[in-house]
Amino acid sequence: MVKNSNRRGFAHSLLITFGMATTLAVPAGAQVLQDPLRDVVKPVEQVRQQVEQRLQERLLEDAKLDAELAEVVDVVELAEDAARRTLQSTTGEALFVEVTLPNGDPVIEREWLVLATADTQTTLRALGANVVAEKELSALGMTLLRFRVPEQLDSREQLEQHLPAQSHGSLSRHFVYRAQASTKETEPSHSDAQLQQTKWCDAEVKIGMVDTKIMTEHAAFAHQPITQKTFTDARLEQPLAHGTAVAGLLVGRSDNYASLIPNARLYNGAVFYRQNALHQGAALMPLLEALNWLAEAQVKVINVSLTGPHSPLFAQAVKQLANQGIVLVAAAGNNGPLAPAVYPAAYEDVIAVTAVAADHAIYRWANQGDYIEFASLGVRITTARRDGNTGFESGTSMAAPVVAAAAACWLKNNSGASLAALRSFLRGSAEDLGETGHDSVFGHGLIYRE
Protein backbone atom coordinates (compact mmCIF):
# COMPACT_ATOMS: atom_id res chain seq x y z
CA MET A 1 0.00 0.00 0.00
CA VAL A 2 1.26 3.51 -0.86
CA LYS A 3 0.87 5.97 1.96
CA ASN A 4 0.80 9.77 1.59
CA SER A 5 4.09 10.42 3.40
CA ASN A 6 4.71 13.79 1.67
CA ARG A 7 1.47 15.26 2.99
CA ARG A 8 2.21 14.15 6.51
CA GLY A 9 5.77 15.58 6.33
CA PHE A 10 4.35 18.93 5.23
CA ALA A 11 1.92 18.87 8.13
CA HIS A 12 4.76 18.23 10.57
CA SER A 13 6.73 21.13 9.06
CA LEU A 14 3.81 23.50 9.51
CA LEU A 15 3.54 22.55 13.17
CA ILE A 16 7.23 23.27 13.67
CA THR A 17 6.97 26.56 11.81
CA PHE A 18 4.08 27.79 13.91
CA GLY A 19 5.85 26.64 17.05
CA MET A 20 8.90 28.74 16.14
CA ALA A 21 6.72 31.71 15.29
CA THR A 22 5.14 31.60 18.72
CA THR A 23 8.48 31.29 20.46
CA LEU A 24 10.12 34.12 18.53
CA ALA A 25 7.16 36.42 18.93
CA VAL A 26 8.34 37.43 22.46
CA PRO A 27 12.16 37.65 22.62
CA ALA A 28 13.91 37.31 25.98
CA GLY A 29 14.39 40.65 27.81
CA ALA A 30 11.70 42.49 25.89
CA GLN A 31 9.57 43.20 28.94
CA VAL A 32 8.67 46.69 27.77
CA LEU A 33 6.94 45.17 24.71
CA GLN A 34 5.10 42.45 26.60
CA ASP A 35 1.79 44.25 26.98
CA PRO A 36 1.64 45.70 23.46
CA LEU A 37 2.53 42.29 21.92
CA ARG A 38 0.05 40.35 24.02
CA ASP A 39 -2.76 41.21 21.64
CA VAL A 40 -0.59 40.01 18.75
CA VAL A 41 0.67 36.80 20.36
CA LYS A 42 -2.81 35.70 21.43
CA PRO A 43 -4.30 35.64 17.92
CA VAL A 44 -1.16 33.89 16.61
CA GLU A 45 -1.51 31.25 19.32
CA GLN A 46 -5.17 30.74 18.37
CA VAL A 47 -4.23 30.35 14.73
CA ARG A 48 -1.51 27.89 15.69
CA GLN A 49 -4.01 25.81 17.68
CA GLN A 50 -6.54 25.88 14.85
CA VAL A 51 -3.94 24.79 12.33
CA GLU A 52 -2.75 22.06 14.65
CA GLN A 53 -6.32 20.85 15.13
CA ARG A 54 -6.97 20.86 11.40
CA LEU A 55 -3.76 19.01 10.73
CA GLN A 56 -4.66 16.41 13.32
CA GLU A 57 -8.00 16.00 11.57
CA ARG A 58 -6.19 15.53 8.26
CA LEU A 59 -3.95 12.91 9.82
CA LEU A 60 -7.05 11.09 11.07
CA GLU A 61 -8.58 11.32 7.61
CA ASP A 62 -5.37 9.85 6.19
CA ALA A 63 -5.54 6.98 8.65
CA LYS A 64 -9.18 6.36 7.73
CA LEU A 65 -8.31 6.41 4.03
CA ASP A 66 -5.48 3.97 4.65
CA ALA A 67 -7.90 1.64 6.43
CA GLU A 68 -10.42 1.88 3.58
CA LEU A 69 -7.73 1.15 1.03
CA ALA A 70 -6.68 -1.84 3.10
CA GLU A 71 -10.25 -3.11 3.02
CA VAL A 72 -10.30 -2.73 -0.78
CA VAL A 73 -7.08 -4.70 -0.99
CA ASP A 74 -8.60 -7.36 1.25
CA VAL A 75 -11.67 -7.57 -1.04
CA VAL A 76 -9.45 -7.95 -4.09
CA GLU A 77 -7.47 -10.66 -2.34
CA LEU A 78 -10.67 -12.44 -1.39
CA ALA A 79 -11.84 -12.25 -5.00
CA GLU A 80 -8.55 -13.71 -6.14
CA ASP A 81 -8.86 -16.49 -3.57
CA ALA A 82 -12.39 -17.21 -4.79
CA ALA A 83 -11.01 -17.69 -8.32
CA ARG A 84 -9.27 -20.83 -7.08
CA ARG A 85 -10.96 -22.95 -4.43
CA THR A 86 -9.93 -26.36 -3.14
CA LEU A 87 -12.94 -28.49 -2.27
CA GLN A 88 -12.43 -30.76 0.69
CA SER A 89 -14.32 -33.71 2.07
CA THR A 90 -16.08 -33.51 5.41
CA THR A 91 -12.93 -35.03 6.92
CA GLY A 92 -10.59 -32.47 5.35
CA GLU A 93 -9.38 -34.50 2.36
CA ALA A 94 -8.69 -32.40 -0.77
CA LEU A 95 -10.92 -33.73 -3.56
CA PHE A 96 -10.69 -31.29 -6.46
CA VAL A 97 -10.06 -27.63 -7.29
CA GLU A 98 -12.52 -25.11 -8.73
CA VAL A 99 -11.09 -22.30 -10.85
CA THR A 100 -12.64 -19.34 -12.66
CA LEU A 101 -11.70 -18.97 -16.31
CA PRO A 102 -10.78 -15.53 -17.71
CA ASN A 103 -14.31 -15.16 -19.11
CA GLY A 104 -15.79 -15.74 -15.64
CA ASP A 105 -16.96 -19.33 -16.10
CA PRO A 106 -16.40 -21.56 -13.04
CA VAL A 107 -14.98 -25.00 -13.81
CA ILE A 108 -13.31 -27.93 -12.12
CA GLU A 109 -9.62 -27.48 -12.77
CA ARG A 110 -8.26 -29.36 -15.83
CA GLU A 111 -11.36 -31.55 -16.04
CA TRP A 112 -13.31 -32.13 -19.26
CA LEU A 113 -16.28 -34.18 -20.47
CA VAL A 114 -16.77 -35.80 -23.87
CA LEU A 115 -18.97 -38.45 -25.44
CA ALA A 116 -17.26 -41.80 -25.05
CA THR A 117 -15.89 -43.77 -27.96
CA ALA A 118 -13.18 -46.43 -28.06
CA ASP A 119 -10.93 -44.12 -30.10
CA THR A 120 -11.40 -41.27 -27.64
CA GLN A 121 -10.45 -43.35 -24.61
CA THR A 122 -7.38 -44.75 -26.36
CA THR A 123 -6.26 -41.25 -27.36
CA LEU A 124 -6.80 -39.81 -23.90
CA ARG A 125 -4.72 -42.49 -22.23
CA ALA A 126 -1.94 -42.01 -24.79
CA LEU A 127 -1.92 -38.30 -23.93
CA GLY A 128 -1.46 -39.02 -20.23
CA ALA A 129 -5.00 -37.96 -19.31
CA ASN A 130 -6.69 -39.59 -16.33
CA VAL A 131 -10.15 -40.97 -17.08
CA VAL A 132 -11.93 -40.22 -13.82
CA ALA A 133 -15.28 -41.79 -14.70
CA GLU A 134 -17.38 -43.26 -17.49
CA LYS A 135 -21.16 -42.90 -17.20
CA GLU A 136 -23.88 -44.32 -19.39
CA LEU A 137 -26.92 -42.03 -19.45
CA SER A 138 -29.33 -44.12 -21.48
CA ALA A 139 -32.36 -41.80 -21.16
CA LEU A 140 -30.25 -38.97 -22.57
CA GLY A 141 -28.79 -41.20 -25.28
CA MET A 142 -25.18 -40.63 -24.26
CA THR A 143 -22.21 -42.23 -22.56
CA LEU A 144 -19.84 -39.69 -21.01
CA LEU A 145 -16.17 -39.68 -20.17
CA ARG A 146 -14.96 -37.43 -17.39
CA PHE A 147 -11.21 -36.94 -17.66
CA ARG A 148 -8.40 -34.81 -16.25
CA VAL A 149 -5.60 -33.56 -18.48
CA PRO A 150 -2.01 -32.42 -17.88
CA GLU A 151 -1.69 -28.64 -17.62
CA GLN A 152 -0.16 -28.27 -21.10
CA LEU A 153 -3.25 -29.86 -22.67
CA ASP A 154 -5.81 -27.83 -20.71
CA SER A 155 -7.41 -25.99 -23.64
CA ARG A 156 -9.89 -26.81 -26.38
CA GLU A 157 -7.32 -25.97 -29.03
CA GLN A 158 -4.80 -28.44 -27.63
CA LEU A 159 -7.32 -31.24 -27.12
CA GLU A 160 -8.86 -30.89 -30.55
CA GLN A 161 -5.41 -31.30 -32.07
CA HIS A 162 -5.26 -34.81 -30.61
CA LEU A 163 -8.81 -36.12 -30.17
CA PRO A 164 -10.76 -37.73 -33.04
CA ALA A 165 -12.71 -35.19 -35.08
CA GLN A 166 -16.08 -36.76 -34.22
CA SER A 167 -15.54 -35.94 -30.53
CA HIS A 168 -14.93 -32.20 -31.01
CA GLY A 169 -18.60 -31.25 -30.98
CA SER A 170 -19.24 -32.81 -27.57
CA LEU A 171 -16.04 -31.69 -25.86
CA SER A 172 -16.90 -29.59 -22.80
CA ARG A 173 -15.23 -28.13 -19.76
CA HIS A 174 -16.49 -29.59 -16.50
CA PHE A 175 -18.53 -26.49 -15.67
CA VAL A 176 -19.94 -25.60 -12.24
CA TYR A 177 -23.48 -24.21 -11.89
CA ARG A 178 -25.05 -22.12 -9.13
CA ALA A 179 -28.42 -21.89 -7.41
CA GLN A 180 -30.54 -18.79 -8.02
CA ALA A 181 -32.09 -17.69 -4.72
CA SER A 182 -31.24 -14.76 -2.48
CA THR A 183 -32.14 -13.23 0.87
CA LYS A 184 -31.21 -9.70 -0.34
CA GLU A 185 -34.82 -8.54 -0.55
CA THR A 186 -35.94 -7.63 2.95
CA GLU A 187 -38.54 -4.94 2.33
CA PRO A 188 -42.08 -5.86 1.32
CA SER A 189 -43.68 -4.24 -1.70
CA HIS A 190 -46.00 -1.31 -1.07
CA SER A 191 -48.91 -1.39 -3.48
CA ASP A 192 -52.67 -1.69 -3.45
CA ALA A 193 -52.41 -4.58 -5.91
CA GLN A 194 -50.61 -7.30 -3.99
CA LEU A 195 -49.95 -10.71 -5.46
CA GLN A 196 -50.19 -13.64 -3.10
CA GLN A 197 -48.93 -17.19 -3.28
CA THR A 198 -51.78 -19.44 -4.36
CA LYS A 199 -52.35 -23.11 -5.08
CA TRP A 200 -52.25 -23.97 -8.76
CA CYS A 201 -54.09 -27.30 -8.64
CA ASP A 202 -54.97 -30.23 -6.35
CA ALA A 203 -54.14 -32.90 -8.90
CA GLU A 204 -51.76 -35.73 -8.04
CA VAL A 205 -49.23 -34.68 -10.66
CA LYS A 206 -45.65 -35.87 -10.94
CA ILE A 207 -42.93 -33.21 -11.00
CA GLY A 208 -39.15 -33.22 -10.81
CA MET A 209 -36.46 -30.82 -9.73
CA VAL A 210 -32.67 -30.62 -9.86
CA ASP A 211 -31.39 -28.76 -6.83
CA THR A 212 -29.70 -29.10 -3.46
CA LYS A 213 -30.73 -31.89 -1.16
CA ILE A 214 -34.11 -31.35 0.52
CA MET A 215 -34.53 -31.38 4.29
CA THR A 216 -37.20 -34.06 4.05
CA GLU A 217 -37.70 -34.20 7.81
CA HIS A 218 -39.14 -30.66 7.73
CA ALA A 219 -42.72 -30.61 9.00
CA ALA A 220 -43.87 -29.10 5.68
CA PHE A 221 -43.15 -32.43 3.98
CA ALA A 222 -44.70 -34.74 6.55
CA HIS A 223 -47.86 -35.37 4.50
CA GLN A 224 -46.18 -37.45 1.80
CA PRO A 225 -42.72 -38.78 0.96
CA ILE A 226 -40.32 -37.11 -1.45
CA THR A 227 -38.30 -39.32 -3.76
CA GLN A 228 -34.75 -38.05 -3.63
CA LYS A 229 -31.42 -39.23 -5.01
CA THR A 230 -28.00 -37.68 -4.48
CA PHE A 231 -25.53 -37.43 -7.37
CA THR A 232 -22.65 -35.57 -5.72
CA ASP A 233 -19.61 -37.16 -4.14
CA ALA A 234 -20.77 -38.49 -0.77
CA ARG A 235 -17.60 -37.11 0.81
CA LEU A 236 -18.68 -33.50 0.12
CA GLU A 237 -20.90 -31.50 2.45
CA GLN A 238 -24.36 -31.16 0.97
CA PRO A 239 -26.35 -27.94 1.51
CA LEU A 240 -30.09 -28.04 2.22
CA ALA A 241 -31.47 -24.51 2.10
CA HIS A 242 -32.15 -23.94 -1.59
CA GLY A 243 -33.76 -27.28 -2.40
CA THR A 244 -35.85 -27.12 0.77
CA ALA A 245 -37.18 -23.70 -0.22
CA VAL A 246 -38.04 -24.76 -3.79
CA ALA A 247 -39.67 -28.01 -2.61
CA GLY A 248 -41.56 -26.05 0.02
CA LEU A 249 -43.10 -23.87 -2.67
CA LEU A 250 -44.06 -26.84 -4.78
CA VAL A 251 -45.45 -29.36 -2.28
CA GLY A 252 -44.94 -28.08 1.27
CA ARG A 253 -47.89 -27.77 3.62
CA SER A 254 -47.91 -25.04 6.22
CA ASP A 255 -50.28 -22.72 8.06
CA ASN A 256 -48.04 -19.83 6.93
CA TYR A 257 -48.36 -20.21 3.17
CA ALA A 258 -50.09 -22.11 0.37
CA SER A 259 -47.95 -24.37 -1.79
CA LEU A 260 -48.43 -24.60 -5.55
CA ILE A 261 -49.21 -28.30 -6.05
CA PRO A 262 -49.60 -29.80 -2.55
CA ASN A 263 -50.67 -33.26 -3.76
CA ALA A 264 -47.86 -33.70 -6.28
CA ARG A 265 -45.32 -36.51 -6.20
CA LEU A 266 -41.93 -34.78 -6.09
CA TYR A 267 -38.67 -36.24 -7.38
CA ASN A 268 -35.46 -34.41 -6.54
CA GLY A 269 -32.03 -34.97 -8.04
CA ALA A 270 -29.61 -33.51 -5.47
CA VAL A 271 -26.52 -32.20 -7.28
CA PHE A 272 -25.11 -29.39 -5.15
CA TYR A 273 -22.14 -29.42 -2.78
CA ARG A 274 -21.14 -26.70 -0.36
CA GLN A 275 -18.40 -24.39 -1.66
CA ASN A 276 -18.19 -22.12 1.40
CA ALA A 277 -20.44 -20.60 4.04
CA LEU A 278 -22.47 -18.66 1.46
CA HIS A 279 -22.33 -20.58 -1.81
CA GLN A 280 -22.95 -23.99 -3.30
CA GLY A 281 -22.00 -25.43 -6.67
CA ALA A 282 -23.21 -28.21 -8.97
CA ALA A 283 -20.85 -29.82 -11.46
CA LEU A 284 -22.06 -30.65 -14.96
CA MET A 285 -21.59 -34.45 -14.76
CA PRO A 286 -23.86 -34.96 -11.70
CA LEU A 287 -26.35 -32.51 -13.20
CA LEU A 288 -26.64 -34.60 -16.36
CA GLU A 289 -26.91 -37.77 -14.27
CA ALA A 290 -29.81 -36.23 -12.33
CA LEU A 291 -31.64 -35.26 -15.52
CA ASN A 292 -31.15 -38.79 -16.83
CA TRP A 293 -32.61 -40.25 -13.61
CA LEU A 294 -35.65 -37.98 -13.79
CA ALA A 295 -36.24 -38.95 -17.41
CA GLU A 296 -36.06 -42.63 -16.42
CA ALA A 297 -38.67 -41.91 -13.72
CA GLN A 298 -40.93 -40.55 -16.49
CA VAL A 299 -41.20 -37.12 -14.94
CA LYS A 300 -42.71 -34.77 -17.54
CA VAL A 301 -41.88 -31.40 -15.94
CA ILE A 302 -38.53 -30.58 -14.31
CA ASN A 303 -37.78 -27.39 -12.37
CA VAL A 304 -34.13 -26.32 -12.74
CA SER A 305 -33.44 -23.34 -10.49
CA LEU A 306 -29.74 -23.06 -11.34
CA THR A 307 -27.63 -21.25 -13.92
CA GLY A 308 -24.24 -21.44 -15.53
CA PRO A 309 -22.35 -21.55 -18.85
CA HIS A 310 -23.35 -23.14 -22.12
CA SER A 311 -22.08 -26.67 -22.65
CA PRO A 312 -22.66 -28.70 -25.83
CA LEU A 313 -23.43 -31.70 -23.64
CA PHE A 314 -26.02 -29.77 -21.61
CA ALA A 315 -27.59 -28.52 -24.85
CA GLN A 316 -27.71 -32.07 -26.23
CA ALA A 317 -29.35 -33.36 -23.04
CA VAL A 318 -31.98 -30.62 -23.14
CA LYS A 319 -32.78 -31.41 -26.77
CA GLN A 320 -33.07 -35.12 -25.99
CA LEU A 321 -35.47 -34.41 -23.11
CA ALA A 322 -37.58 -32.15 -25.31
CA ASN A 323 -37.80 -34.89 -27.93
CA GLN A 324 -39.27 -37.13 -25.22
CA GLY A 325 -41.88 -34.54 -24.29
CA ILE A 326 -40.13 -33.58 -21.03
CA VAL A 327 -40.43 -29.88 -20.17
CA LEU A 328 -37.63 -27.99 -18.44
CA VAL A 329 -38.53 -24.79 -16.59
CA ALA A 330 -35.50 -22.78 -15.48
CA ALA A 331 -34.65 -19.72 -13.44
CA ALA A 332 -33.62 -16.76 -15.60
CA GLY A 333 -30.71 -15.83 -13.31
CA ASN A 334 -29.94 -13.34 -10.54
CA ASN A 335 -26.88 -11.68 -12.06
CA GLY A 336 -28.45 -8.31 -12.84
CA PRO A 337 -30.15 -6.69 -15.86
CA LEU A 338 -26.89 -6.23 -17.80
CA ALA A 339 -25.61 -9.78 -17.32
CA PRO A 340 -25.27 -12.14 -20.29
CA ALA A 341 -27.67 -15.00 -20.92
CA VAL A 342 -27.34 -18.03 -18.64
CA TYR A 343 -28.03 -21.71 -19.16
CA PRO A 344 -30.11 -23.82 -19.24
CA ALA A 345 -32.65 -20.95 -19.27
CA ALA A 346 -31.36 -19.59 -22.58
CA TYR A 347 -31.72 -22.88 -24.46
CA GLU A 348 -34.55 -22.83 -26.99
CA ASP A 349 -36.29 -25.88 -25.52
CA VAL A 350 -36.30 -24.48 -21.95
CA ILE A 351 -38.92 -22.13 -20.49
CA ALA A 352 -37.06 -19.25 -18.79
CA VAL A 353 -38.76 -17.53 -15.85
CA THR A 354 -37.95 -14.22 -14.21
CA ALA A 355 -39.18 -12.87 -10.85
CA VAL A 356 -41.44 -9.99 -9.87
CA ALA A 357 -42.48 -8.52 -6.56
CA ALA A 358 -46.04 -8.38 -5.27
CA ASP A 359 -46.52 -4.97 -6.93
CA HIS A 360 -45.43 -6.36 -10.33
CA ALA A 361 -42.03 -4.64 -10.14
CA ILE A 362 -39.20 -6.68 -11.63
CA TYR A 363 -36.79 -8.28 -9.17
CA ARG A 364 -33.84 -5.91 -9.07
CA TRP A 365 -31.20 -8.63 -9.56
CA ALA A 366 -33.00 -10.52 -12.34
CA ASN A 367 -31.27 -11.15 -15.65
CA GLN A 368 -32.86 -9.62 -18.71
CA GLY A 369 -32.76 -10.66 -22.34
CA ASP A 370 -34.72 -12.00 -25.28
CA TYR A 371 -34.64 -15.50 -23.79
CA ILE A 372 -36.95 -14.50 -20.91
CA GLU A 373 -40.38 -16.08 -21.53
CA PHE A 374 -42.48 -15.47 -18.44
CA ALA A 375 -42.52 -13.74 -15.07
CA SER A 376 -43.98 -14.95 -11.80
CA LEU A 377 -43.98 -14.01 -8.14
CA GLY A 378 -40.46 -14.44 -6.74
CA VAL A 379 -39.73 -11.68 -4.19
CA ARG A 380 -40.20 -12.21 -0.46
CA ILE A 381 -41.85 -15.60 -0.94
CA THR A 382 -42.81 -17.51 2.18
CA THR A 383 -41.61 -21.10 2.09
CA ALA A 384 -39.89 -23.83 4.09
CA ARG A 385 -36.47 -23.11 5.56
CA ARG A 386 -33.65 -25.48 6.47
CA ASP A 387 -33.95 -24.48 10.16
CA GLY A 388 -37.31 -26.26 10.29
CA ASN A 389 -39.34 -23.05 10.16
CA THR A 390 -40.76 -20.91 7.37
CA GLY A 391 -39.41 -17.61 6.11
CA PHE A 392 -38.81 -15.32 3.14
CA GLU A 393 -36.80 -16.15 0.03
CA SER A 394 -36.28 -14.15 -3.17
CA GLY A 395 -34.90 -14.76 -6.62
CA THR A 396 -35.72 -16.24 -9.99
CA SER A 397 -35.36 -19.65 -8.31
CA MET A 398 -38.51 -18.87 -6.36
CA ALA A 399 -40.36 -17.77 -9.51
CA ALA A 400 -39.60 -20.76 -11.72
CA PRO A 401 -41.64 -23.26 -9.60
CA VAL A 402 -44.81 -21.27 -10.31
CA VAL A 403 -44.51 -21.88 -14.05
CA ALA A 404 -43.36 -25.46 -13.47
CA ALA A 405 -46.48 -26.08 -11.39
CA ALA A 406 -48.70 -24.46 -14.02
CA ALA A 407 -47.13 -26.67 -16.68
CA ALA A 408 -47.55 -29.84 -14.62
CA CYS A 409 -51.21 -29.11 -13.91
CA TRP A 410 -52.00 -28.32 -17.55
CA LEU A 411 -50.19 -31.38 -18.87
CA LYS A 412 -52.14 -33.54 -16.41
CA ASN A 413 -55.28 -32.71 -18.41
CA ASN A 414 -53.51 -32.55 -21.79
CA SER A 415 -51.41 -35.69 -21.79
CA GLY A 416 -49.06 -35.94 -24.75
CA ALA A 417 -49.31 -32.25 -25.63
CA SER A 418 -46.24 -30.71 -27.24
CA LEU A 419 -43.96 -28.06 -25.79
CA ALA A 420 -45.32 -25.66 -28.41
CA ALA A 421 -48.89 -26.31 -27.19
CA LEU A 422 -47.84 -25.74 -23.58
CA ARG A 423 -46.13 -22.49 -24.51
CA SER A 424 -49.26 -21.38 -26.33
CA PHE A 425 -51.37 -22.06 -23.24
CA LEU A 426 -48.97 -20.14 -20.99
CA ARG A 427 -48.85 -17.17 -23.36
CA GLY A 428 -52.63 -17.08 -23.40
CA SER A 429 -52.66 -17.13 -19.58
CA ALA A 430 -50.01 -14.44 -19.09
CA GLU A 431 -50.79 -10.88 -18.02
CA ASP A 432 -48.76 -8.54 -20.20
CA LEU A 433 -46.34 -6.39 -18.20
CA GLY A 434 -43.91 -3.71 -19.34
CA GLU A 435 -43.79 -3.05 -23.07
CA THR A 436 -46.69 -4.37 -25.13
CA GLY A 437 -46.03 -7.93 -26.21
CA HIS A 438 -42.88 -9.89 -25.51
CA ASP A 439 -40.05 -7.89 -23.97
CA SER A 440 -36.63 -8.62 -22.48
CA VAL A 441 -37.71 -7.80 -18.90
CA PHE A 442 -41.00 -9.70 -18.34
CA GLY A 443 -41.08 -11.94 -21.41
CA HIS A 444 -44.69 -12.59 -22.42
CA GLY A 445 -45.87 -11.46 -18.99
CA LEU A 446 -47.01 -12.64 -15.58
CA ILE A 447 -48.10 -16.22 -14.86
CA TYR A 448 -50.38 -16.07 -11.83
CA ARG A 449 -53.36 -17.98 -10.48
CA GLU A 450 -56.12 -15.82 -8.99
Side-chain angles (χ1 to χ4, degrees):
M1 181 181 300
V2 177
K3 296 184 179 179
N4 200 335
S5 56
N6 290 335
R7 183 168 57 189
R8 293 180 179 176
F10 174 68
H12 183 62
S13 299
L14 283 177
L15 286 174
I16 294 175
T17 299
F18 272 91
M20 289 177 62
T22 304
T23 302
L24 295 175
V26 186
Q31 297 296 326
V32 68
L33 297 176
Q34 183 174 354
D35 291 339
L37 288 176
R38 183 177 300 159
D39 293 336
V40 177
V41 173
K42 186 175 181 180
V44 171
E45 176 64 19
Q46 291 175 342
V47 172
R48 187 192 70 79
Q49 292 175 352
Q50 291 173 358
V51 170
E52 183 178 10
Q53 181 179 356
R54 179 57 186 144
L55 289 172
Q56 291 294 334
E57 292 173 354
R58 291 295 295 272
L59 291 175
L60 289 174
E61 290 173 3
D62 285 348
K64 182 179 180 181
L65 178 60
D66 288 345
E68 290 173 350
L69 288 173
E71 290 176 0
V72 171
V73 171
D74 288 342
V75 169
V76 172
E77 290 174 348
L78 284 172
E80 291 174 349
D81 290 343
R84 181 180 177 81
R85 178 187 293 115
T86 299
L87 275 297
Q88 298 181 333
S89 69
T90 53
T91 59
E93 175 190 2
L95 299 178
F96 58 89
V97 176
E98 286 182 3
V99 296
T100 301
L101 300 179
N103 67 355
D105 290 342
V107 301
I108 296 179
E109 186 179 45
R110 305 206 324 251
E111 284 199 7
W112 294 76
L113 304 179
V114 70
L115 291 180
T117 67
D119 290 343
T120 301
Q121 292 200 52
T122 300
T123 302
L124 288 173
R125 291 191 172 93
L127 292 173
N130 175 31
V131 177
V132 179
E134 179 178 354
K135 294 285 185 179
E136 181 180 0
L137 307 178
S138 56
L140 299 182
M142 60 175 68
T143 300
L144 294 182
L145 292 179
R146 173 187 170 191
F147 61 97
R148 192 169 190 269
V149 299
E151 187 173 358
Q152 68 271 19
L153 293 177
D154 191 28
S155 73
R156 176 174 290 276
E157 181 182 7
Q158 286 293 324
L159 288 172
E160 287 184 349
Q161 288 180 11
H162 300 282
L163 291 174
Q166 65 267 28
S167 68
H168 294 180
S170 67
L171 184 62
S172 172
R173 290 271 189 183
H174 200 181
F175 292 113
V176 176
Y177 296 77
R178 292 175 179 168
Q180 296 298 299
S182 172
T183 56
K184 293 175 182 176
E185 297 292 336
T186 57
E187 294 300 321
S189 300
H190 298 286
S191 169
D192 292 335
Q194 295 285 305
L195 301 178
Q196 299 290 331
Q197 290 170 204
T198 56
K199 179 172 59 179
W200 200 269
C201 73
D202 281 315
E204 295 181 357
V205 299
K206 182 186 287 188
I207 194 165
M209 55 185 274
V210 179
D211 217 295
T212 73
K213 193 173 182 180
I214 299 169
M215 181 185 175
T216 54
E217 62 270 28
H218 195 294
F221 308 124
H223 64 289
Q224 68 184 75
I226 292 173
T227 303
Q228 181 167 234
K229 185 174 181 179
T230 301
F231 294 91
T232 58
D233 190 324
R235 295 171 294 176
L236 290 165
E237 183 180 355
Q238 296 184 39
L240 297 170
H242 193 270
T244 300
V246 171
L249 284 178
L250 288 169
V251 301
R253 292 187 182 180
S254 170
D255 294 335
N256 297 328
Y257 71 92
S259 58
L260 298 162
I261 40 177
N263 296 316
R265 177 75 185 199
L266 180 63
Y267 292 75
N268 179 46
V271 296
F272 281 91
Y273 54 85
R274 186 171 301 285
Q275 294 171 310
N276 55 36
L278 298 176
H279 300 101
Q280 51 266 328
L284 178 57
M285 184 81 151
L287 172 54
L288 295 176
E289 291 180 70
L291 290 174
N292 182 76
W293 172 70
L294 290 169
E296 290 178 338
Q298 300 182 341
V299 172
K300 290 303 180 182
V301 177
I302 303 173
N303 186 86
V304 189
S305 290
L306 54 82
T307 67
H310 160 67
S311 162
L313 291 172
F314 204 171
Q316 182 175 333
V318 167
K319 176 62 69 176
Q320 182 68 18
L321 292 172
N323 290 341
Q324 298 176 42
I326 298 174
V327 178
L328 263 66
V329 179
N334 298 342
N335 301 318
L338 300 179
V342 290
Y343 299 88
Y347 289 130
E348 182 179 354
D349 293 310
V350 176
I351 298 174
V353 184
T354 190
V356 297
D359 59 2
H360 295 189
I362 192 68
Y363 177 52
R364 71 180 73 180
W365 303 107
N367 283 39
Q368 297 180 17
D370 291 340
Y371 69 99
I372 306 297
E373 286 199 62
F374 300 102
S376 59
L377 185 62
V379 179
R380 282 182 62 83
I381 304 301
T382 305
T383 187
R385 300 292 293 272
R386 66 175 178 179
D387 61 2
N389 298 311
T390 59
F392 293 125
E393 295 284 350
S394 294
T396 57
S397 276
M398 300 298 109
V402 177
V403 178
C409 290
W410 187 79
L411 288 171
K412 177 71 174 178
N413 297 321
N414 297 272
S415 179
S418 66
L419 176 59
L422 171 62
R423 279 178 158 146
S424 179
F425 159 72
L426 291 172
R427 289 171 186 171
S429 304
E431 176 187 346
D432 195 13
L433 300 177
E435 298 177 6
T436 302
H438 182 273
D439 62 71
S440 61
V441 180
F442 301 100
H444 294 287
L446 177 70
I447 300 296
Y448 177 68
R449 170 76 85 180
E450 294 289 347

